[in-house]
Amino acid sequence: MIMMSVRDNLQKQINESIKQLDFLVKQTKLPIIQDKSGNPLWIDVRELDLRYQMPIKKVQKFFNGLKEGKILTTRCQKCGTIYFPPQDDCPQCKLSGLEWIELPREGKLITYTKIYVKPPSFSHYQDYVVGIAKLDNGINITAWVVGNLEKLNVGADVKLEVEEREPEGYITYYLKIE
Ligand SMILES: [Zn+2]
């Protein structure tokens, strides 16, 4: 949750700076501010649209599992540590090629937060709830909390479910309150 509030605070600061910048450009016709030392600083007014890529070859089974409605992850066959999100290596044992297991679906919500101020890449969503649940095998999982939000509470029973996220239409997992 610390991450969330840090991100929300950053987002607020960014929105505030953008407002000030709009005002400045209207007044001076240039997006130039003074930095802390009083030196002129150009702030570009264009937003950068960033799409990142990451290699997933070693954890492709996770995505194949989602297509079948399963949530898979890896466990070190030497020390028994379960990793989520899945990773192919156990840094403690220096072991690669961890075994795949299916996560249990039942858990309890241990914390949550409602997101009103969204980062730009999430700005097209309605306000949403992000929570962390402890699953029956002790693994903590962070995801959007959906379903009967009247029962939203620390300790609420949640079920890990695989569903499509709209409007993008890609498959992901949610913590659902029934
Ligand atoms: Zn290990």
Side-chain angles (χ1 to χ4, degrees), residues 110-159:
I110 54 176
T111 186
Y112 65 89
T113 186
K114 191 161 185 184
I115 309 293
Y116 300 98
V117 182
K118 284 150 263 186
S121 57
F122 284 72
S123 59
H124 58 295
Y125 295 116
Q126 299 289 318
D127 294 345
Y128 52 90
V129 178
V130 175
I132 303 176
K134 189 174 278 297
L135 300 181
D136 283 354
N137 66 351
I139 289 294
N140 288 349
I141 187 162
T142 305
W144 282 21
V145 183
V146 297
N148 183 3
L149 294 183
E150 283 178 10
K151 288 194 198 164
L152 183 65
N153 231 319
V154 170
D157 289 322
V158 288
K159 211 168 175 188

Side-chain angles (χ1 to χ4, degrees), residues 75-81 83 89-95 98:
R75 175 171 61 194
C76 174
Q77 49 273 60
K78 199 170 169 191
C79 69
T81 304
Y83 292 97
D89 311 285
C90 179
Q92 299 168 64
C93 302
K94 313 264 182 283
L95 191 72
L98 302 192

Side-chain angles (χ1 to χ4, degrees), residues 46-59:
R46 291 168 301 177
E47 265 187 70
L48 190 62
D49 200 355
L50 190 65
R51 278 181 192 274
Y52 60 86
Q53 301 178 337
M54 54 182 178
I56 56 156
K57 189 180 172 193
K58 287 180 161 187
V59 291

